[in-house]
Amino acid sequence: MATSVNFDPAAATLRTLSPGWIVELLVANAVGIFLFYGAIEWRYYRKRVQASRFKYNGKFPAEQPSDVFWFKSQNLDNFLRSYLSGIPMWTLVEVLMLWCFANHHVYWLNFSEHPYWLALMLLATPMIHEVNFFCIHRLIHIPILYKWIHSIHHNSINPSPWSSLSMHPVETFLYHGVVWW
């Protein structure tokens, strides 16, 4: 939402895939995720305001070094994967969607012209997201895909906020590709 408010170039700008607005969008996404995930990380994993209550795994990621992570640190691994893969792939999907809107490959609906259709889409979005997530998640649990794609995400057996974007680029692209439904 912060991206939508702060990132609002004209449709004419979005018609061309130019580095300027794409980098601006990538930076806006990176800053937004840092602030949002960072606040959660700070409160629950650094200050530990609720200790280990409600944690499936009572230990904290920093307390469990492992060879499966870059630098033996789940926190650093998840953070780096989020910034080197997760956010760029999410931004790629966003850029493609904005470019398609600007070039009239997909229809842009205004609330003032289509309030009922947009309300219906708003109500259907969680269902579409869940179906998309289920189908992709089942697909990437096929042994060969699990080994090469999804196992990266499952390495984070003690999840933190950064674990949600710590995935293989293919997995990230497929999950964020829900916008194409």
Side-chain angles (χ1 to χ4, degrees):
M1 184 153 143
T3 302
S4 326
V5 171
N6 296 315
F7 179 80
D8 192 19
T13 303
L14 301 175
R15 284 190 191 108
T16 306
L17 294 173
S18 62
W21 71 268
I22 295 171
V23 169
E24 185 180 333
L25 182 59
L26 177 65
V27 169
N29 288 339
V31 168
I33 285 296
F34 183 80
L35 294 174
F36 184 69
Y37 285 19
I40 296 169
E41 173 81 19
W42 180 258
R43 180 167 169 78
Y44 295 107
Y45 290 82
R46 299 288 181 227
K47 290 186 74 171
R48 299 182 182 183
V49 296
Q50 65 183 26
S52 60
R53 288 188 334 262
F54 309 113
K55 280 181 64 50
Y56 179 74
N57 182 335
K59 293 184 179 178
F60 286 83
E63 299 168 353
Q64 297 177 291
S66 173
D67 290 333
V68 301
F69 300 116
W70 292 343
F71 310 106
K72 295 187 178 190
S73 167
Q74 179 183 327
N75 287 337
L76 189 54
D77 179 276
N78 289 177
F79 183 84
L80 290 173
R81 286 185 190 277
S82 293
Y83 276 87
L84 297 176
S85 171
I87 296 169
M89 291 307 289
W90 160 22
T91 303
L92 174 63
V93 170
E94 198 172 5
V95 163
L96 292 174
M97 195 65 187
L98 289 169
W99 179 84
C100 285
F101 280 134
N103 288 288
H104 307 292
H105 297 301
V106 292
Y107 189 65
W108 184 273
L109 298 175
N110 290 328
F111 189 76
S112 60
E113 296 173 16
H114 304 281
Y116 299 113
W117 181 243
L118 285 173
L120 177 66
M121 288 177 60
L122 184 64
L123 293 172
T125 296
M127 292 178 277
I128 293 168
H129 174 270
E130 289 305 310
V131 168
N132 181 73
F133 181 86
F134 175 81
C135 292
I136 290 169
H137 200 229
R138 293 307 308 148
L139 175 70
I140 58 180
H141 270 269
I142 293 171
I144 190 73
L145 295 177
Y146 183 88
K147 179 181 179 182
W148 293 105
I149 295 173
H150 194 48
S151 63
I152 292 170
H153 181 68
H154 274 279
N155 284 341
S156 298
I157 58 170
N158 193 346
S160 76
W162 302 106
S163 303
S164 65
L165 287 176
S166 177
M167 298 180 254
H168 189 280
V170 170
E171 183 176 2
T172 306
F173 187 80
L174 291 172
Y175 281 142
H176 290 297
V178 70
V179 299
W180 301 110
W181 277 53

